[in-house]
Amino acid sequence: MTSRAQVLPRVTRIGAPARNSSVPTRSHSPAPAPGLSSLGLLTVLLGAALPMVDFFIVNVALPTIDRDLHAGPAVLEMVVAGYGVAYAVLLVLGGRLGDMFGRRNLFLWGLGLFAVTSLACGVAPSAWTLVAARVAQGAASALLLPQALATIQSATSGGARGKALSYYGATAGIASVVGQVLGGVLVSADIAGSGWRAIFLVNVPVAAVALALALKSVPETRSAHPARIDKPGTALLAVTLVTLLLPLTEGRAAGWPLWSWVLLAVFPLAAAAFVAVERRGERDGGNPLIPPSLLRIHSVRSGLLLIVPFCLGFGGFMFVVAVAMQDGLRFGALEAGAALAPLCAAFFAASLLGPRMVARFGRRVVTAGSLVQGVGLVALAATFHYGGTGLSIAELAPSMAVIGFGQGFVLPVVLRIVLSEVPAAQAGVGSGAMATTQQSSLALGVATLGTLFLTLSGSIGVRDALVWALVAQLASVVATVALSTRLPRRIV
């Protein structure tokens, strides 16, 4: 058992045995790492929030970008998809690089590159230049985000780790909603005539502040014996995600050309090849990108399975609601963002209650939160069905709050569960795998529910299309409820 002196006031060696212990010291123990201070935790959470905010902040700005750059539907979807696909494809690689070269080091590089690519987005002169800058911004995000999670995992232990992971989960959900609220505020404010450009330019000073804080407060951690880059696994994972996400995101807007069907046909082959290569790599003593043994940990496997339907529904919901409020209810960007404020406030309240509720009720908190979210979705669908296109923000607020309250009991808890038993030496890999699952599912939700909504809106109208999209999202809620019963009974 680890001695109290080793844990408090700082973590001296992650995974090291206690003094005078009969347990032999393992040669592969990670190097000593200082604990994570409150300011350090705040800094890594700020860094983690930036990529999450930017996945959603663009939703309410799409109409303005279209008018300013004459983008068209296909290019607008690339503005969203280019970021999401690059982000998802490179996340695990970003985690592995942090294990190799130091998580603080990569965190600093990630912040710097995120600021530079955000500036490139903000000054983009054309639609396709913006798409290219968004792809680069997604790559920078993939370098940045895994280091935040891996730093928490490596520089904390025990109750401090559980609390920090709960804060990370709360940040993940709140940042997603705040992104669209902030986007509406910035677009409407039209600061110095910047319009939609402000949603990207605002990242530059925020990233600069985070960079300055990180230099002082974030400890350096790395794997004592980092694995080499799994080049075949990295390539196959990239092919797998691109062949799934790109055609689903761009296929409808492009009229479902032949290339979209070819890519979808390649997807299952690429996925099977990736699994086979990873299994063979671990069996032969290699360094697979995502070690299959990691997925044999109950908390990791059950948590990742639940993240898929939850984030699929969440990503699709945020995109569809943003478009519906602007095209159907004729809300401006500010009103569309403000309509999500009750959801954000309720999510925040639930995430604060979550740790105490988990200590008392365990995994049943996730089940209850999923059911509450389902009730909120039914209420929102009924509100749109019976209220038509003349709804106000106040009329949307009750159902939005219920949805947010339910989501706040799900996402922070599940993210905490996934990383609760990941060995510190695999912190980067575990963080990258979780973030990849989360981000891919968000992008898949935009692609599937977004495609359903946009297809139906042309024939039956925005209101009814939104109702059907919300009904379809209930399938993800049913899956989340079912999978919540497979989570560990006791949550560390």
Side-chain angles (χ1 to χ4, degrees):
M1 182 180 296
T2 306
S3 67
R4 182 178 179 85
Q6 283 177 293
V7 177
L8 297 174
R10 66 183 63 175
V11 177
T12 56
R13 179 172 294 182
I14 305 299
R19 295 175 184 174
N20 303 322
S21 171
S22 61
V23 180
T25 302
R26 296 178 181 178
S27 62
H28 61 271
S29 294
L36 188 63
S37 66
S38 297
L39 180 60
L41 176 60
L42 177 64
T43 302
V44 296
L45 292 178
L46 177 60
L50 287 171
M52 301 174 197
V53 166
D54 258 61
F55 182 82
F56 292 97
I57 198 171
V58 74
N59 286 347
V60 295
L62 290 176
T64 311
I65 294 173
D66 189 17
R67 288 195 299 269
D68 190 15
L69 299 182
H70 310 290
V75 179
L76 281 178
E77 290 194 23
M78 278 299 296
V79 171
V80 178
Y83 177 87
V85 172
Y87 188 12
V89 164
L90 298 172
L91 271 166
V92 178
L93 179 60
R96 178 62 60 84
L97 291 173
D99 289 345
M100 295 176 64
F101 300 110
R103 291 145 191 157
R104 176 180 180 270
N105 189 27
L106 270 292
F107 185 77
L108 296 174
W109 273 100
L111 283 170
L113 291 173
F114 188 83
V116 170
T117 53
S118 294
L119 179 62
C121 290
V123 299
S126 66
W128 281 108
T129 306
L130 177 59
V131 170
R134 283 284 282 174
V135 171
Q137 190 186 38
S141 297
L143 192 65
L144 170 61
L145 183 68
Q147 317 317 326
L149 271 170
T151 297
I152 291 173
Q153 187 76 356
S154 300
T156 60
S157 63
R161 178 182 296 170
K163 185 178 293 186
L165 290 176
S166 294
Y167 288 148
Y168 172 83
T171 301
I174 294 168
S176 303
V177 183
V178 165
Q180 293 194 186
V181 177
L182 179 63
V185 171
L186 291 174
V187 172
S188 298
D190 194 22
I191 303 169
S194 58
W196 60 267
R197 298 179 186 277
I199 68 174
F200 300 115
L201 296 176
V202 71
N203 292 329
V204 178
V206 175
V209 170
L211 190 63
L213 292 174
L215 286 168
K216 296 181 179 181
S217 63
V218 176
E220 180 64 280
T221 63
R222 70 182 73 202
S223 176
H225 301 286
R228 295 179 180 179
I229 298 297
D230 174 16
K231 295 178 182 178
T234 301
L236 283 170
L237 179 62
V239 172
T240 299
L241 293 176
V242 168
T243 53
L244 175 65
L245 297 177
L246 188 60
L248 288 179
T249 303
E250 283 295 298
R252 184 203 62 85
W256 296 109
L258 178 62
W259 65 260
S260 63
W261 296 107
V262 171
L263 289 181
L264 287 173
V266 170
F267 162 69
L269 302 176
F274 173 71
V275 172
V277 165
E278 298 301 276
R279 285 178 175 173
R280 186 176 67 242
E282 188 167 58
R283 185 175 61 247
D284 295 343
N287 301 301
L289 189 67
I290 302 178
S293 60
L294 192 67
L295 301 180
R296 287 195 286 270
I297 301 174
H298 180 211
S299 57
V300 175
R301 183 179 64 255
S302 60
L304 291 180
L305 283 173
L306 193 146
I307 283 175
V308 172
F310 178 84
C311 287
L312 190 151
F314 185 78
F317 173 84
M318 297 298 288
F319 175 79
V320 166
V321 167
V323 175
M325 284 193 283
Q326 294 179 86
D327 289 350
L329 300 182
R330 301 300 176 187
F331 283 1
L334 180 60
E335 291 176 297
L340 291 169
L343 189 152
C344 182
F347 190 107
F348 181 68
S351 66
L352 293 179
L353 291 172
R356 282 180 290 175
M357 299 291 287
V358 165
R360 184 173 180 182
F361 299 107
R363 69 186 183 190
R364 286 177 290 178
V365 173
V366 179
T367 305
S370 299
L371 291 171
V372 170
Q373 181 192 11
V375 171
L377 289 172
V378 171
L380 183 62
T383 301
F384 270 95
H385 179 71
Y386 294 107
T389 57
L391 292 170
S392 65
I393 293 176
E395 289 171 306
L396 296 173
S399 52
M400 286 288 189
V402 173
I403 292 170
F405 198 73
Q407 291 172 340
F409 278 132
V410 177
L411 187 60
V413 177
V414 174
L415 296 185
R416 171 181 168 181
I417 288 171
V418 171
L419 293 179
S420 62
E421 297 178 331
V422 174
Q426 291 183 306
V429 178
S431 302
M434 187 186 76
T436 298
T437 303
Q438 181 185 359
Q439 185 60 36
S440 300
S441 301
L442 288 171
L444 189 59
V446 173
T448 53
L449 288 180
T451 296
L452 174 65
F453 168 76
L454 294 172
T455 301
L456 292 177
S457 62
S459 56
I460 63 176
V462 172
R463 184 197 67 175
D464 291 339
L466 176 61
V467 171
W468 280 109
L470 294 174
V471 170
Q473 189 185 345
L474 288 175
S476 70
V477 173
V478 171
T480 303
V481 171
L483 290 170
S484 68
T485 63
R486 302 175 63 87
L487 295 172
R489 292 182 180 274
R490 178 176 174 271
I491 299 175
V492 182

